Amino acid sequence: TNATALKLPVVIEIDDLGDLEMGPKQPKLSIYPKTQFGHQKRSFSCDYFNEYQWLEYSIKKDAAFCFPCRLFSGVGGNEDTWTKNGFNNWQKLCQRLKKHNTALSHMTCITKLSSFYLSKSKGSVVAQLSSAHKEQIRKNRQYISHLIDIVLFLGKQGVAFRGHYENDESINQGNFKELCKLYAKSVPDFENMYTKDTNYSSWRIQNELVDICASSIKEIILNEISTTGFLAIMCDEARSYKEEQLSICVRYAVGLKVFERFLGFIDVSSGQNSTQIYSAIMHYFEEQNINMEIVHIVAQSYDGASVMSGHLNGVQAQVQKRYPAAIYTHCMAHRLNLVVLDLCKSIKSAQKVFNILEATYVHFSRPSKNAELLNIQKQLGLKKGQVMRICDTRWICRYKNCEAIIHNYKSIVAVLQKEVDDQYDKDV
């Protein structure tokens, strides 16, 4: 046990002295036995107990002993007087007590005795170090838990993590670090960790925490899908910089509650025909350790492109070959977009507006005209902006085009007016 971690020496037991449980034996007698020293008789005095708490007295041997040295010093040596035989030269007691009190061996025994009592109440040194280590681990985990809460909050709200400038002089270090500061105001342990040089708030740690959270969430979704055994898939392909990416979402039910979840992006840059896209989808589920022989696709939804919706060789047809119950539904958002586009084409005023927007884009798509537009924006103190192209398959692009025209209206008018004036001067 911890109490016996210190090895005690074998000593001659004196039954009227103290032990580790009782402490030093310090009997306070009205009269102590006297011993003749020359012409005087001297005896022990209990007043020494007040000055030397380690001192003890044996009535049977009429001798003084050192309690810690008697228990913790080695057998033999120069200190046997205080540990084995006892000291009873009363005329030199005061001098010898002072000398023994400062002896290195005595102070070592005092330390051992203190350590013994400390280990008995709080555990051994190893146990105390282990407890401190465990407490530090607990605090570290609690700190990381708070960081994860911040990551989940920002992710749930769809808020950016980082700021433009995140140094100590910045008045806004980004949402992640600003939330850390907010936590530090109300959570002392978090503040102690966050104010250290290593506080795990760098962008690399943020990205790592995001990846870990994403993996954990995805694992929960995949387990639910595997347990349910049925799912519907929704896919849409788009170009992202130099990659062709296919986003994949799933719908499934847990009990009577329906969930719609985004799983991830699939790189389909190597090919975008129906067979390649179908293979990429199936391969993705296999990579996620979903047994598609057990889990069945019961519904599917894509855009109206023939690659996806073709009833003979489209992706939906190939999925139905493997899962006959997989009903295909043309994506409602895409259908609504097509309806709005056709509606605008039948309204002359709307068609006229979009024709003007398209003509404006074509005009300023020339490098020289675009450079002139940017120059005018700079002169007017406006934020740089460009006219966007109208897209027939995305109604949102038309909204953004209108927004760009409104934002850059002053600069566009200024450029066009300058062109008119220049042309007028040429004609004159």
Side-chain angles (χ1 to χ4, degrees):
T1 63
N2 292 332
T4 59
L6 293 171
K7 188 175 181 181
L8 302 181
V10 179
V11 296
I12 298 176
E13 293 187 3
I14 302 174
D15 55 9
D16 66 340
L17 291 179
D19 55 28
L20 288 170
E21 296 295 330
M22 301 297 294
K25 190 73 171 181
Q26 297 180 336
K28 295 182 179 181
L29 308 178
S30 57
I31 299 176
Y32 289 91
K34 295 183 180 292
T35 304
Q36 188 74 34
F37 291 95
H39 300 290
Q40 294 182 340
K41 289 185 177 181
R42 296 181 179 272
S43 65
F44 180 79
S45 173
C46 62
D47 293 338
Y48 289 111
F49 290 145
N50 298 327
E51 186 174 356
Y52 304 101
Q53 296 181 0
W54 47 264
L55 183 63
E56 58 181 353
Y57 176 79
S58 171
I59 297 176
K60 290 184 177 181
K61 298 194 69 172
D62 185 28
F65 292 84
C66 175
F67 177 70
C69 291
R70 185 171 61 83
L71 296 177
F72 290 97
S73 68
V75 179
N78 298 328
E79 296 298 324
D80 278 358
T81 301
W82 294 100
T83 61
K84 179 180 177 182
N85 303 322
F87 183 85
N88 57 8
N89 188 354
W90 307 127
Q91 64 178 349
K92 296 183 179 180
L93 179 60
C94 182
Q95 178 184 353
R96 293 295 299 275
L97 285 174
K98 290 180 179 180
K99 181 179 179 181
H100 181 72
N101 192 50
T102 58
L104 179 61
S105 59
H106 171 74
M107 289 189 288
T108 301
C109 292
I110 289 287
T111 302
K112 290 181 179 180
L113 180 63
S114 299
S115 299
F116 174 82
Y117 285 130
L118 184 64
S119 66
K120 190 174 181 180
S121 60
K122 296 185 178 181
S124 64
V125 175
V126 174
Q128 291 180 55
L129 290 174
S130 178
S131 298
H133 180 63
K134 289 179 180 178
E135 177 63 15
Q136 187 61 49
I137 290 176
R138 186 195 67 79
K139 289 182 178 180
N140 291 343
R141 289 178 175 175
Q142 186 66 34
Y143 178 74
I144 295 297
S145 177
H146 289 314
L147 294 183
I148 292 174
D149 288 339
I150 293 174
V151 168
L152 293 175
F153 173 78
L154 294 176
K156 182 179 179 181
Q157 299 302 115
V159 180
F161 279 58
R162 302 188 63 198
H164 293 292
Y165 303 100
E166 295 187 343
N167 52 35
D168 295 335
E169 290 75 23
S170 175
I171 60 174
N172 187 346
Q173 294 182 311
N175 293 317
F176 184 86
K177 289 192 174 182
E178 292 299 329
L179 278 176
C180 287
K181 291 180 181 178
L182 184 63
Y183 251 103
K185 290 181 179 179
S186 56
V187 183
D189 287 343
F190 185 90
E191 181 183 18
N192 293 336
M193 296 289 290
Y194 187 71
T195 52
K196 293 181 179 179
D197 292 335
T198 304
N199 57 16
Y200 304 99
S201 64
S202 69
W203 64 268
R204 288 187 177 88
I205 298 297
Q206 293 179 36
N207 290 346
E208 186 174 350
L209 289 175
V210 169
D211 290 339
I212 292 172
C213 291
S215 298
S216 298
I217 293 172
K218 182 184 286 188
E219 184 178 356
I220 294 172
I221 295 172
L222 296 175
N223 288 336
E224 290 178 344
I225 292 173
S226 298
T227 303
T228 301
F230 300 94
L231 79 155
I233 61 173
M234 296 172 288
C235 302
D236 192 18
E237 182 266 332
R239 185 170 184 81
S240 174
Y241 189 47
K242 294 182 179 180
E243 287 186 354
E244 292 290 339
Q245 292 186 337
L246 182 73
S247 62
I248 181 165
C249 299
V250 295
R251 282 174 64 91
Y252 59 93
V254 177
L256 297 177
K257 194 171 183 180
V258 178
F259 295 95
E260 183 174 311
R261 305 296 191 204
F262 167 74
L263 282 184
F265 292 105
I266 305 174
D267 185 4
V268 291
S269 302
S270 58
Q272 294 89 46
N273 63 46
S274 60
T275 302
Q276 290 171 321
I277 293 177
Y278 167 76
S279 299
I281 294 172
M282 293 297 107
H283 180 67
Y284 177 80
F285 283 115
E286 291 173 1
E287 284 184 335
Q288 307 306 316
N289 296 321
I290 294 181
N291 188 348
M292 296 307 290
E293 298 298 329
I294 299 176
V295 178
H296 295 274
I297 298 175
V298 296
Q300 50 184 326
S301 179
Y302 320 113
D303 59 21
S306 59
V307 171
M308 305 299 294
S309 63
H311 68 283
L312 295 178
N313 295 313
V315 173
Q316 67 102 353
Q318 297 192 43
V319 171
Q320 280 189 333
K321 287 179 182 178
R322 183 170 180 178
Y323 305 101
I327 301 171
Y328 167 70
T329 302
H330 189 180
C331 173
M332 292 298 178
H334 286 85
R335 292 169 71 176
L336 176 61
N337 184 74
L338 294 174
V339 169
V340 174
L341 288 176
D342 289 341
L343 178 64
C344 290
K345 289 179 181 178
S346 63
I347 301 175
K348 290 184 179 181
S349 57
Q351 186 65 32
K352 186 176 181 180
V353 169
F354 289 118
N355 287 340
I356 293 173
L357 294 179
E358 181 67 18
T360 305
Y361 165 76
V362 172
H363 182 78
F364 285 101
S365 62
R366 302 170 188 171
S368 59
K369 300 298 181 182
N370 186 58
E372 192 171 351
L373 176 64
L374 295 177
N375 185 43
I376 292 294
Q377 289 173 347
K378 184 177 181 181
Q379 293 177 10
L380 295 175
L382 300 175
K383 187 177 180 180
K384 288 184 179 181
Q386 295 180 339
V387 180
M388 297 185 63
R389 184 177 185 178
I390 290 179
C391 177
D392 287 337
T393 58
R394 295 288 187 274
W395 176 255
I396 187 65
C397 293
R398 302 203 171 205
Y399 165 75
K400 289 183 178 179
N401 185 276
C402 294
E403 190 178 42
I405 292 293
I406 294 172
H407 177 75
N408 300 297
Y409 182 75
K410 288 184 178 180
S411 56
I412 291 173
V413 171
V415 172
L416 295 177
Q417 185 63 49
K418 184 175 181 299
E419 291 180 8
V420 171
D421 293 341
D422 291 344
Q423 187 64 38
Y424 178 77
D425 292 340
K426 290 180 181 179
D427 293 339
V428 173

